Amino acid sequence: AHMPREEKLLEVEHLSLSGKFEDVTFSVKSGEILGLTGFVGAGKTELARVLFGIDAPSSGVIRLHGKKVEHYSISKAIAQGVALIPEDRRKDGLVTSRTILENLTLPMLSHYCNRLGVIRKRKEASETDDYIHKLNIVTTSRNKRVRYLSGGNQQKVILARWLNTEADILLMDNPTQGIDVGAKAEIYKLILALAREGKTILVNTLEIPELQKVADRCVVFYHGHVQSVFEHREISEQNVMLSATNAINVEGANRQ
């Protein structure tokens, strides 16, 4: 069932991480796609790490499903339905020496075990095949080792893994970096489909045309601060670049 769009799944208030970003406030509703952009070092990747519980904020509040989260951690983030799809797929995301099936089911092994703790192989196999089909992962078999897949297909395996956890807040760090145009288009189609299902998606990317395709709103960072927030119709190369380089402030007045 699609939840009402009014429900705020994620809210951050005056969130800061010393030396990385400060006083960041925004909220995201169910089914909304929020773009995060700005130059490298502007604070958006560091924000994603805090939202996934990797780094503890120095101040501010994170609310999930309307409740303030104390002593936030990765395990709390996952328990609350938050998933991070990392930028460095090989380092953070995939065990490339393992098969597609193993990579998909690793975080959810308990989901595939019966009461005696025995893994239900048939369920693992059929669900893996469903994802291979749904995400159009190009492979000869679910037992192919991930290192032999293209970059785009590796990225789809990571997406499938997190979709398999039934997370409802997806943090995507440069989701289409280093993958070909065809796979990019597929991943954006998928992001839109997930939002229609009611998932909340934060996409951190420097690629403004991609934000124009999918983002309902876009938050632009500059030196650790939220510089501007643009609605979908306002997202353009010009607006985002002027904001990301601090040529205009939030009111749009020229500072030069």
Side-chain angles (χ1 to χ4, degrees), residues 131-194:
Y131 278 112
I132 287 172
H133 175 70
K134 194 163 141 187
L135 303 193
N136 202 1
I137 296 169
V138 179
T139 179
T140 44
S141 139
R142 72 177 91 94
N143 297 315
K144 190 169 194 170
R145 293 188 193 280
V146 167
R147 69 156 70 100
Y148 299 119
L149 300 177
S150 70
N153 285 300
Q154 289 185 358
Q155 181 66 319
K156 290 181 194 174
V157 172
I158 288 202
L159 272 175
R161 168 198 282 185
W162 283 112
L163 299 182
N164 200 20
T165 63
E166 297 179 347
D168 48 17
I169 299 171
L170 303 177
L171 310 171
M172 299 188 172
D173 200 5
N174 287 317
T176 58
Q177 190 168 2
I179 63 178
D180 66 66
V181 172
K184 261 184 197 182
E186 280 179 3
I187 284 173
Y188 279 99
K189 250 197 330 228
L190 181 72
I191 289 173
L192 290 164
L194 291 168

Side-chain angles (χ1 to χ4, degrees), residues 47-62:
L47 174 71
R49 288 174 60 92
V50 168
L51 294 178
F52 192 58
I54 300 170
D55 300 324
S58 36
S59 61
V61 175
I62 297 173

Side-chain angles (χ1 to χ4, degrees), residues 16-219:
S16 299
L17 178 62
S18 294
K20 301 293 184 189
F21 61 82
E22 56 186 297
D23 200 24
V24 172
T25 297
F26 62 80
S27 63
V28 203
K29 294 177 191 152
S30 166
E32 189 170 30
I33 302 171
L34 183 73
L36 303 173
T37 194
F39 290 107
V40 174
K44 60 200 181 357
T45 298
E46 292 78 6
L47 174 71
R49 288 174 60 92
V50 168
L51 294 178
F52 192 58
I54 300 170
D55 300 324
S58 36
S59 61
V61 175
I62 297 173
R63 284 183 221 280
L64 290 167
H65 306 279
K67 293 189 188 66
K68 182 176 170 181
V69 190
E70 306 284 356
H71 309 300
Y72 199 43
S73 64
I74 294 177
S75 55
K76 275 195 183 172
I78 292 172
Q80 293 270 351
V82 181
L84 175 67
I85 292 138
E87 177 174 28
D88 188 338
R89 298 190 272 282
R90 288 188 183 73
K91 191 176 93 217
D92 302 324
L94 291 171
V95 187
T96 55
S97 57
R98 296 284 189 96
T99 66
I100 296 175
L101 180 140
E102 289 169 319
N103 270 281
L104 258 188
T105 55
L106 269 173
M108 287 289 281
L109 278 181
S110 60
H111 166 74
Y112 294 104
C113 290
N114 65 15
R115 284 197 315 268
L116 303 171
V118 177
I119 292 175
R120 293 177 288 181
K121 294 283 186 205
R122 195 175 292 160
K123 183 175 185 188
E124 266 195 337
S126 73
E127 292 196 4
T128 300
D129 287 346
D130 283 349
Y131 278 112
I132 287 172
H133 175 70
K134 194 163 141 187
L135 303 193
N136 202 1
I137 296 169
V138 179
T139 179
T140 44
S141 139
R142 72 177 91 94
N143 297 315
K144 190 169 194 170
R145 293 188 193 280
V146 167
R147 69 156 70 100
Y148 299 119
L149 300 177
S150 70
N153 285 300
Q154 289 185 358
Q155 181 66 319
K156 290 181 194 174
V157 172
I158 288 202
L159 272 175
R161 168 198 282 185
W162 283 112
L163 299 182
N164 200 20
T165 63
E166 297 179 347
D168 48 17
I169 299 171
L170 303 177
L171 310 171
M172 299 188 172
D173 200 5
N174 287 317
T176 58
Q177 190 168 2
I179 63 178
D180 66 66
V181 172
K184 261 184 197 182
E186 280 179 3
I187 284 173
Y188 279 99
K189 250 197 330 228
L190 181 72
I191 289 173
L192 290 164
L194 291 168
R196 280 196 296 276
E197 283 173 24
K199 292 191 189 293
T200 294
I201 301 169
L202 279 70
V203 181
N204 170 9
T205 181
L206 289 169
E207 301 199 32
I208 300 163
E210 302 193 359
L211 291 172
Q212 287 175 299
K213 280 192 198 93
V214 297
D216 295 305
R217 284 181 300 140
C218 168
V219 178

Side-chain angles (χ1 to χ4, degrees), residues 234-247:
E234 302 170 320
I235 300 170
S236 66
E237 293 268 358
Q238 187 182 15
N239 281 349
V240 173
M241 290 312 285
L242 286 171
S243 182
T245 54
N246 197 26

